[in-house]
Amino acid sequence: MEFSFEYFDILKSINSSSGSIKLMAYGGILLLYIPYWLLLKLFKQDTAGKMNSLGLLYFVLTWLMSGFTIGVLCQDETSGIKLFLVLISIITVNLIFVLNNHSRLYKVYHKNILEMAGLK
């Protein structure tokens, strides 16, 4: 079985242009919310439920952090591979944070929502 060299072509294209990484950081993360929303509908989760609240928190947090970080790093000529690795690390760290602190994040989120609505 031969090794495919298409993998290296993908890395070369990522390294040569940082535009795709900028697009992913600014808008691509929000596109990932569409399959997540479809999974919520498939499993019949409540829109105000815990899974939806934490998923929305994860996507917004990742979008803000990656957009800011990639925007700052693009000011000088940073290679696309470095930007890609920074984006992947932000996505992974935010996911681990939300999964480890899900109960506290959910309590704080709903407490703040109730205070904003004036129900408490």
Side-chain angles (χ1 to χ4, degrees):
M1 182 175 201
E2 294 181 14
F3 182 72
S4 174
F5 288 98
E6 293 177 10
Y7 178 72
F8 295 113
D9 293 337
I10 292 171
L11 290 179
K12 285 180 185 176
S13 67
I14 288 174
N15 195 26
S16 64
S17 72
S18 61
S20 59
I21 303 299
K22 290 179 194 176
L23 181 66
M24 178 78 172
Y26 294 134
I29 297 295
L30 295 179
L31 290 178
L32 293 176
Y33 190 72
I34 294 170
Y36 178 75
W37 180 77
L38 291 174
L39 284 174
L40 286 175
K41 294 296 180 190
L42 179 69
F43 293 122
K44 296 181 172 88
Q45 295 287 322
D46 186 24
T47 55
K50 186 174 187 177
M51 186 175 169
N52 190 29
S53 302
L54 293 176
L56 187 61
L57 175 72
Y58 168 72
F59 285 112
V60 169
L61 183 68
T62 303
W63 179 55
L64 290 174
M65 286 181 68
S66 63
F68 178 75
T69 306
I70 298 297
V72 168
L73 288 175
C74 282
Q75 296 301 318
D76 50 340
E77 296 299 319
T78 307
S79 68
I81 293 291
K82 290 179 185 175
L83 294 176
F84 181 71
L85 291 174
V86 167
L87 184 64
I88 294 298
S89 64
I90 288 172
I91 290 170
T92 306
V93 166
N94 283 342
L95 182 63
I96 291 170
F97 174 76
V98 169
L99 290 177
N100 284 335
N101 299 312
H102 62 87
S103 60
R104 281 179 262 152
L105 289 170
Y106 183 69
K107 288 177 187 175
V108 168
Y109 175 76
H110 274 283
K111 180 182 166 188
N112 289 341
I113 291 296
L114 290 175
E115 286 177 1
M116 286 174 28
L119 298 175
K120 245 185 181 180

